[in-house]
Every structure is written in structure tokens, then in C-alpha cells.
């Protein structure tokens, strides 16, 4: 599910899924460059561990913030904010 709303002077976007979720001990490392929650040789999911780190950097460069809420086994919600002016093409 994707949601968008205005929160003060910020635009807030949330993307939710009903996937495998993220364990609590993994949450603090999730936006680190090259971090993979399942890094074993028999892992089920691909990726290099750069996507969320890049997104975090881009969001923060525009004056926004990103975070995740998750329940292991139930799914996750990734939310980020951007100043409304960024979306209107204004320079910050």
C-alpha cells in the first residue's frame, strides 16, 4: 500500500507491505551501506545492500527524513518526508 499526505510543511510518503518483516536487532543497521539482513550464502533474497543507503542520502540531502516500522513476520512500512517546496521545484 502506498500513501501520501501533507504534514505541516512536509509531504509524507509511506510504502507498506505484508512481507517477512524486519527483526528488531536489524532495524538500526538497515540504512547502512552494503548491509544485508540475510547475508548468509544460502540467503533467499538478492541485492547488494546499497538501495536504502542511497535513498536515505537523497532524502536527507533534500531536507527530509526516512524511517521504517516493522513487525517480523507481518511486514514493514517505510516512510519518508520531503519539504513541500522540493516537490514544487523550489530550491532549498
Amino acid at each position: 500500500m502506498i500513501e501520501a499526505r501533507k504534514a505541516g510543511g512536509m509531504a509524507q510518503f509511506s510504502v507498506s507491505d505484508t512481507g517477512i518483516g524486519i527483526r528488531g536487532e536489524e532495524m538500526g543497521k538497515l540504512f547502512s551501506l552494503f548491509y544485508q539482513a540475510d547475508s548468509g550464502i544460502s540467503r533467499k533474497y538478492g541485492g547488494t545492500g546499497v538501495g536504502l543507503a542511497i535513498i536515505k542520502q537523497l532524502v536527507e540531502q533534500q531536507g527530509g527524513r526516512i524511517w521504517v516500522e516493522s513487525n517480523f513476520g507481518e511486514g514493514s512500512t517505510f516512510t519518508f518526508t520531503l519539504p513541500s517546496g522540493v516537490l514544487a521545484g523550489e530550491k532549498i
Side-chain angles (χ1 to χ4, degrees), residues 21-30 32 35-37 70 72:
I22 302 163
R23 294 182 190 276
E25 62 268 17
E26 307 293 335
M27 299 286 274
K29 306 172 202 168
L30 198 57
S32 300
Y35 179 75
Q36 297 171 325
S70 185
F72 187 70

Side-chain angles (χ1 to χ4, degrees), residues 32-64:
S32 300
L33 192 57
F34 300 118
Y35 179 75
Q36 297 171 325
D38 181 7
S39 60
I41 59 172
S42 63
R43 68 186 182 147
K44 295 179 182 179
Y45 305 98
T48 58
V50 298
L52 288 174
I54 291 170
I55 295 300
K56 182 178 189 290
Q57 183 178 21
L58 290 171
V59 166
E60 290 177 350
Q61 284 176 347
Q62 298 301 315

